[in-house]
Amino acid sequence: AASAASQVLMHRCRFVDHVPEAVESLQYDPSCSRLAVLRANGDIELWSLTAGGWWREAHMPGVPETPVRRLVLGERTAAHPDGRLFSCGLHGLVTEWDVAHLSPLESYDSMGGAAWGLALHDRSSRLA
């Protein structure tokens, strides 16, 4: 028989009704086992795969009225030890994100209006 000292009382909380936003875009970088997730509300999440499984490495809140549509990850290098992250959207901007500080680093005009897609050329590190 268990003694009273070895029993643990547990209280179950059910007041948090968390419904995650839909996924708008996914970008996986196999060189560092990292996944960038763009949510429908504009939030950006970075997930890393380790021996223990997936864990959310970073979360950057979306900017209201900024319709972001795609993400692209650049690999980690000596010049960019945290890697590089770019986004584009219907506003016509391509934004590079500061992964270390979880904020926009710089934005560039796409020179063509709304940007529906974005890709990184592996060998040249150029965006298309």
Side-chain angles (χ1 to χ4, degrees), residues 44-125:
I44 297 173
E45 301 171 359
L46 291 177
W47 292 79
S48 291
L49 177 62
T50 61
W54 288 98
W55 59 279
R56 191 170 81 175
E57 178 183 331
H59 172 259
M60 293 166 263
V63 178
E65 305 302 319
T66 307
V68 178
R69 291 293 180 249
R70 296 292 176 262
L71 296 174
V72 79
L73 280 169
E75 65 182 40
R76 297 177 186 191
T77 63
H80 301 283
D82 294 315
R84 298 179 84 180
L85 176 66
F86 296 91
S87 65
C88 71
L90 303 181
H91 45 53
L93 296 176
V94 175
T95 302
E96 181 173 5
W97 292 83
D98 185 338
V99 178
H101 296 100
L102 307 178
S103 61
L105 184 64
E106 196 159 351
S107 291
Y108 310 93
D109 191 331
S110 69
M111 302 298 196
W116 288 88
L118 189 64
L120 181 67
H121 187 266
D122 292 335
R123 287 182 232 131
S124 68
S125 296

Side-chain angles (χ1 to χ4, degrees), residues 27-36 73-76 83-84:
Q27 173 69 39
Y28 181 68
D29 181 5
S31 70
C32 61
S33 296
R34 188 186 247 182
L35 177 72
L73 280 169
E75 65 182 40
R76 297 177 186 191
R84 298 179 84 180

Side-chain angles (χ1 to χ4, degrees), residues 9-22:
L9 296 176
M10 182 183 289
H11 177 74
R12 187 170 183 176
C13 240
R14 288 187 171 213
F15 60 86
V16 177
D17 188 22
H18 176 68
V19 179
E21 291 287 331

